[in-house]
Amino acid sequence: MKKLINGITEFRKKVLPEYRDTFARLALGQSPDALFIACSDSRVVPNLFASTDPGDLFVVRNVGNLIPPCSRNGFSVGDESEAAAIEFSITQLKVANIIICGHSECGAMQSLVKNRNAISSPNLRSWLQYGESALQKMQDGFEINPGLLPHNQLSQINVLEQKIHLETYPIVQDLIKEGKLRICSWWFDIATADVYSYNEEKRRFVLLDDEEAARILNE
């Protein structure tokens, strides 16, 4: 807490003056480039590794970067918070890109590998059910990078599985068909601070370097 409080006072004295015009403009409204769905893990900081400024990203963070799928009636089968953020970002803010970002050494994925039903905390145990389908795929033999430890392998599979969940939302389906929305699957390696993007053609996560960035932007 001391570090947090001291950080706020330091921000006011040293950083805020450089951002006053930016925040004054943002007070009038926001128009982020993308909806960024990430894990709540304290080691994963999207604005840092993506070099973004205030107003660039509309961020949703939860344990395991999970997205409860949508039922046929258009309502989320789980917590409505994620569903509300998805709807708000694409209907009100008109974002054209959604990024789902998993990461290495994810505690949620480790808990799934060990057995979700062994978790004593009831809400966490229930929430992780939305990662079970990814776990089942891994147990059935699906793999992306066989060189990874099981929980990291699951983390990558889970990103693709959450993309499938996201695509169950009618508004998402409609905008994709109209060519107005794109979903990207990313994975952050904490140990190296490298970001990987899923390449559909290569069927694996590849380093998001200049070449891969150009490919994504040209799609």
Side-chain angles (χ1 to χ4, degrees):
M1 190 65 173
K2 181 179 180 181
K3 184 176 181 179
L4 181 63
I5 296 298
N6 288 339
I8 291 174
T9 58
E10 284 296 301
F11 175 80
R12 290 188 67 253
K13 290 185 289 185
K14 297 181 179 180
V15 181
L16 183 56
E18 299 177 12
Y19 279 93
R20 287 198 184 278
D21 290 343
T22 298
F23 282 113
R25 173 175 54 81
L26 290 173
L28 302 177
Q30 60 172 320
S31 55
D33 296 326
L35 165 62
F36 200 101
I37 301 173
C39 183
S40 298
D41 194 298
S42 63
R43 300 165 295 179
V44 179
V45 187
N47 291 91
L48 179 62
F49 65 70
S51 299
T52 52
D53 290 320
D56 289 344
L57 297 177
F58 188 76
V59 181
V60 171
R61 300 184 66 169
N62 61 50
V63 175
N65 46 273
L66 302 176
I67 305 168
C70 190
S71 61
R72 292 183 178 180
N73 63 7
F75 287 90
S76 170
V77 301
D79 192 322
E80 294 178 349
S81 176
E82 282 70 26
I86 291 166
E87 292 176 349
F88 183 78
S89 66
I90 60 181
T91 62
Q92 303 298 313
L93 301 179
K94 308 297 182 183
V95 300
N97 297 280
I98 299 178
I99 299 162
I100 304 172
C101 186
H103 67 95
S104 65
E105 311 311 326
C106 179
M109 298 301 107
Q110 294 181 43
S111 294
L112 281 166
V113 169
K114 291 178 181 177
N115 182 9
R116 174 175 68 91
N117 292 320
I119 299 173
S120 60
S121 305
N123 292 296
L124 177 59
R125 183 173 63 247
S126 177
W127 173 250
L128 290 180
Q129 68 181 289
Y130 302 114
E132 285 283 358
S133 55
L135 177 63
Q136 187 62 56
K137 286 186 176 180
M138 186 178 77
Q139 293 174 336
D140 289 343
F142 177 67
E143 61 183 16
I144 299 174
N145 184 344
L148 295 176
L149 292 172
H151 62 276
N152 287 335
Q153 179 76 237
L154 177 59
S155 178
Q156 291 196 346
I157 296 172
N158 181 61
V159 172
L160 303 186
E161 191 66 12
Q162 300 313 309
K163 179 175 182 289
I164 293 174
H165 288 185
L166 181 58
E167 290 170 343
T168 63
Y169 288 77
I171 184 63
V172 172
Q173 295 174 11
D174 292 344
L175 290 174
I176 289 176
K177 290 177 182 178
E178 295 171 9
K180 297 179 179 179
L181 183 66
R182 174 175 59 175
I183 303 174
C184 296
S185 303
W186 290 4
W187 192 75
F188 179 65
D189 187 340
I190 292 175
T192 62
D194 282 325
V195 178
Y196 294 78
S197 175
Y198 188 75
N199 187 304
E200 294 282 354
E201 184 177 338
K202 296 181 179 179
R203 296 186 178 182
R204 61 183 176 87
F205 284 86
V206 300
L207 182 65
L208 213 172
D209 55 12
D210 289 343
E211 181 180 349
E212 181 63 13
R215 183 193 67 80
I216 295 173
L217 294 174
N218 288 330
E219 284 185 341

